[in-house]
Amino acid sequence: MLLTSTDAGQIALELLMADWNISEENREWFTIFNSRLIGESWYTVELGVEGFPDRWFLQVYDNGVCDPNYTFISPVHGSEGFTDFVNVPDIVAEVLVCERNAR
């Protein structure tokens, strides 16, 4: 299987959606911002929610396996709660707040 950066992005997105049990109708909120080949054997994929500074970074290997241990980075602290979420589905807001609190 020859993996492309697009494939790697989709694999990473699927892992994150499964990890958070995100329904099909809420997946559109999540965006693949970057997917790039690192060396010869794996991709780094940057995911996020459009309009928010939060980012997930996942590694996808050239065999199609996604490392379940991802990195989450946000300049927003979890203690700020749900203050920056307007017109965002509850599950998307909950995921971001949980990730912000966990770091």
Side-chain angles (χ1 to χ4, degrees), residues 15-16 32 34 37 41 46 49 51 58 76 78 82-84 98:
L15 179 118
L16 191 65
I32 301 166
N34 194 0
L37 183 63
S41 61
E46 178 184 353
V49 175
L58 296 93
V76 182
F82 291 83
T83 58
D84 60 341
C98 285

Side-chain angles (χ1 to χ4, degrees), residues 23-98:
S23 67
E24 201 60 45
E25 63 266 13
N26 289 319
R27 289 175 185 228
E28 67 187 28
W29 286 89
F30 293 85
T31 302
I32 301 166
F33 286 104
N34 194 0
S35 180
R36 60 190 171 101
L37 183 63
I38 305 295
E40 295 180 13
S41 61
W42 55 281
Y43 290 83
T44 295
V45 179
E46 178 184 353
L47 303 173
V49 175
E50 194 70 51
F52 290 89
D54 314 87
R55 295 292 183 266
W56 288 268
F57 294 90
L58 296 93
Q59 291 180 350
V60 179
Y61 300 97
D62 60 358
N63 63 0
V65 174
C66 187
D67 186 339
N69 299 309
Y70 56 81
T71 300
F72 177 80
I73 298 173
S74 178
V76 182
H77 295 283
S79 61
E80 294 182 34
F82 291 83
T83 58
D84 60 341
F85 302 109
V86 178
N87 300 323
V88 176
D90 289 346
I91 185 65
V92 174
E94 288 173 29
V95 166
L96 289 171
V97 168
C98 285

Side-chain angles (χ1 to χ4, degrees), residues 12-22 30 47 56 70:
L13 184 62
E14 286 303 315
L15 179 118
L16 191 65
M17 297 301 95
D19 195 43
W20 282 102
N21 199 25
I22 303 296
F30 293 85
L47 303 173
W56 288 268
Y70 56 81

